[in-house]
Amino acid sequence: MVNLSKIELTKKGQSINLTKSQHQGIGEILVNLNWNQQSVKPSGGFLSSLFGTKARSGIDLDLGCLYELTDGSKSCVQALGNAFGKLHSPPFVELDGDDRTGMVSGGENLRINGDKVKDIKRVLVYAFIYEGVANWSEADGI
């Protein structure tokens, strides 16, 4: 039997308790996505020499989430479609921006308002490759 009534994440001596409470929030939850921009070179194949294929623009990773609130409303927060959300009103989840270059030192940040945990049924956080590389092993995502 697995008891999921309490979840604890621990990192480097710091503890985060995600237990739901009816009376008290858990503070802000921060999810960060960052990556190192790499210059992407053309393949150098026969066709690229004929047609003068240029190097691809660069790596663009994106961070987002799907959410469902306790009132039944559901949607996503992501840069694609300019759905950046709001932290202090529904959906209580906000994306701070869209780093299209990998050069922003803070990367992309998704904030979840843990003080509104009673209004949030569930959140699924995801990251995806928007352009620049074909797989995650080439993306250097952090």
Side-chain angles (χ1 to χ4, degrees), residues 27-29 64-79 82-96 110-126:
E28 182 179 278
I29 301 167
C65 78
L66 299 172
Y67 67 84
E68 181 177 7
L69 301 181
T70 54
D71 69 1
S73 59
K74 324 174 192 186
S75 192
C76 67
V77 172
Q78 63 181 22
N82 292 318
F84 288 94
K86 294 183 180 179
L87 189 60
H88 299 290
S89 59
F92 309 112
V93 180
E94 185 174 48
L95 182 63
D96 68 353
L110 184 75
R111 290 178 164 77
I112 303 168
N113 187 341
D115 292 334
K116 295 295 187 175
V117 72
K118 67 179 179 14
D119 299 310
I120 302 170
K121 183 173 181 180
R122 58 184 153 191
V123 176
L124 175 104
V125 176
Y126 57 85

Side-chain angles (χ1 to χ4, degrees), residues 17-30:
N17 185 341
L18 298 178
T19 304
K20 283 189 174 185
S21 170
Q22 296 296 328
H23 307 290
Q24 172 181 8
I26 57 175
E28 182 179 278
I29 301 167
L30 174 66

Side-chain angles (χ1 to χ4, degrees), residues 5-118:
S5 64
K6 183 176 180 183
I7 300 171
E8 288 186 8
L9 304 176
T10 305
K11 182 177 181 182
K12 296 182 182 178
Q14 296 177 351
S15 179
I16 302 169
N17 185 341
L18 298 178
T19 304
K20 283 189 174 185
S21 170
Q22 296 296 328
H23 307 290
Q24 172 181 8
I26 57 175
E28 182 179 278
I29 301 167
L30 174 66
V31 180
N32 173 264
L33 173 64
N34 214 330
W35 65 99
N36 297 315
Q37 192 57 257
Q38 306 162 11
S39 50
V40 182
K41 298 176 184 174
S43 66
F46 175 72
L47 291 177
S48 66
S49 64
L50 282 177
F51 297 110
T53 305
K54 297 179 182 175
R56 291 178 284 176
S57 59
I59 299 169
D60 182 6
L61 305 181
D62 283 327
L63 180 63
C65 78
L66 299 172
Y67 67 84
E68 181 177 7
L69 301 181
T70 54
D71 69 1
S73 59
K74 324 174 192 186
S75 192
C76 67
V77 172
Q78 63 181 22
L80 191 61
N82 292 318
F84 288 94
K86 294 183 180 179
L87 189 60
H88 299 290
S89 59
F92 309 112
V93 180
E94 185 174 48
L95 182 63
D96 68 353
D98 183 12
D99 176 6
R100 296 181 180 180
T101 65
M103 304 299 256
V104 176
S105 63
E108 294 186 8
N109 295 288
L110 184 75
R111 290 178 164 77
I112 303 168
N113 187 341
D115 292 334
K116 295 295 187 175
V117 72
K118 67 179 179 14

